[in-house]
Amino acid sequence: MNCDIKSKTSLEENDYEKENAKLIISELIDLLNDERIYKDIDVIIEITKTIHLLVKQGGYRRKQIIEHPHLITSLAKLFNTDNDLTRLLSSLFHDLSIEIDGIRLLLDNHIIPILLQTLEVLNDDVINFVLTTLRNCLIGLNNEIAEEIQINNGCMIFISLLIHRHSNKQMNFLADCLLRLAMFNKNAQIYLQTSKLFLQELVLILDETNYDKLSCTLIRMLPLLSSNTKTKSILIQFNLVSILEKLLHTKYDYKIQRCCLLTLRNLSDEIIHMDNYDSLIIMLIEMLASNTDIQIKVYIVDILSNLSCENQGNKLLMIRNNVIQLLVNILIQNENRDDIIESSICTLRHLTGKCPLANEARESIRINHAIPYLIKYLHTKENNWSLLKTCIGLIRNLALSSNNIKILCDHRTVYKIGKLFFQMKTISERIELFLTTLFVFSRQQDNKFRIIIYDQIINSSCVETLVQLTSMNNLDRIQQMSKAILDDLYHSEQIEHREILKQIEKSIKIAQFLQTD
């Protein structure tokens, strides 16, 4: 019985609430339909306060406001006509932007352009509300709001505010709006990437501010901006690399460190041939040695891979600071992470190539027991050619050190490479990689290992491919290397090597004759 009474009372209260809300809204609509009302700012302020209160109260009252957008659009026309009214309206719009239905109302009734237009003339105490409202809208209806802001020159307005430098809190809201614009709208992202004025201001603020929230927001924007090729050179010109190095010394959390490193990775292919980055390289090596976050390690190795490409000074610095052992540890400890494995192998390939300490690097890889871990990636084949290519390139470099030949032969490295060559002989870029590697192996001076290498080449079935390549046109370098390897086999001390070679050549000639007959 008591439950029934309570339920009936609750229903009656809900009905009363609905009727009361409808009555209030009806009276507000009547007031706003009277043109004379707009001449009395005090009455308009009271109407705005009432509407704001209904929004704050929520429930049926808020719902009635949402269902009668005319109330909001009528008031929005008066935005920035009176300081007190503007302050009230900005607070009202802010409270509407807290929930999706309110954001939809602001979007569908063209309130966003009004907010943007007034940003340029508002005083500081209102800018916070407007920026927070726009930020809430970007969070709630990201793509649609970003599009609306972009087509109403939002980027330009935000950049203008950025230049005039308001409070740290406002700057952070502003930076967050720019970040979300870049995330959710491609045209906005391109605009920001190509605005030299904006990029310069961003870097200056990042260098000057001591407000951590603002720094973090700006840092989160950098990976997006630095993904554009043209933007990279501008950011480097504004000394962003040194600023990021300085920021990495600050104890930010992993997410911010990742953003700094991802930005450096994006920029690093543009500073390959530049010097004066010794302190950055040393810091990255120290981070690689001490960090446990795998994604941070991925970014660091990617950067080191780029910086070790065709830069002798950087190579020497890395080798002298024990980067070989760190990279070998990564190979051993992260067998299932192809991303960091490939970058690690690529860096090792650079360090073991043209460099005064290249042989020391080759020896270090063997001493740290990395060669067996490398050879297993010769099974990768077509599904990851990029990793396989990098691995073969490093093995070719390792074969230049006579001390490495035994372990390479013991693991049947030449046979595996020859087998892959036989299976993947259709693309000239790949052919050249396989040939240069087999050529290095075939020129070994030690007679014992030379015989083992010839055995593995012949048993891998790639000799037939070598013979075919010698008769192809327009492949001069490939022809020369193929002939050189075959000549080595012809001069083998093992009679069976020469006999097998002659039989293969004879079979190919017969096949060619039959095809032309």
Side-chain angles (χ1 to χ4, degrees), residues 41 83 85 217 239 242 264 282 372 389 443 492 497:
I41 196 68
N83 287 340
L85 177 59
T217 305
N239 202 34
S242 298
L264 280 171
I282 290 170
K389 177 178 70 173
R443 291 302 167 99
S492 170
H497 290 167

Side-chain angles (χ1 to χ4, degrees), residues 133-147:
T133 302
L134 291 169
R135 178 178 177 272
N136 289 346
C137 291
L138 282 164
I139 292 170
L141 292 172
N142 39 56
N143 293 322
E144 293 174 80
I145 296 294
E147 176 69 18

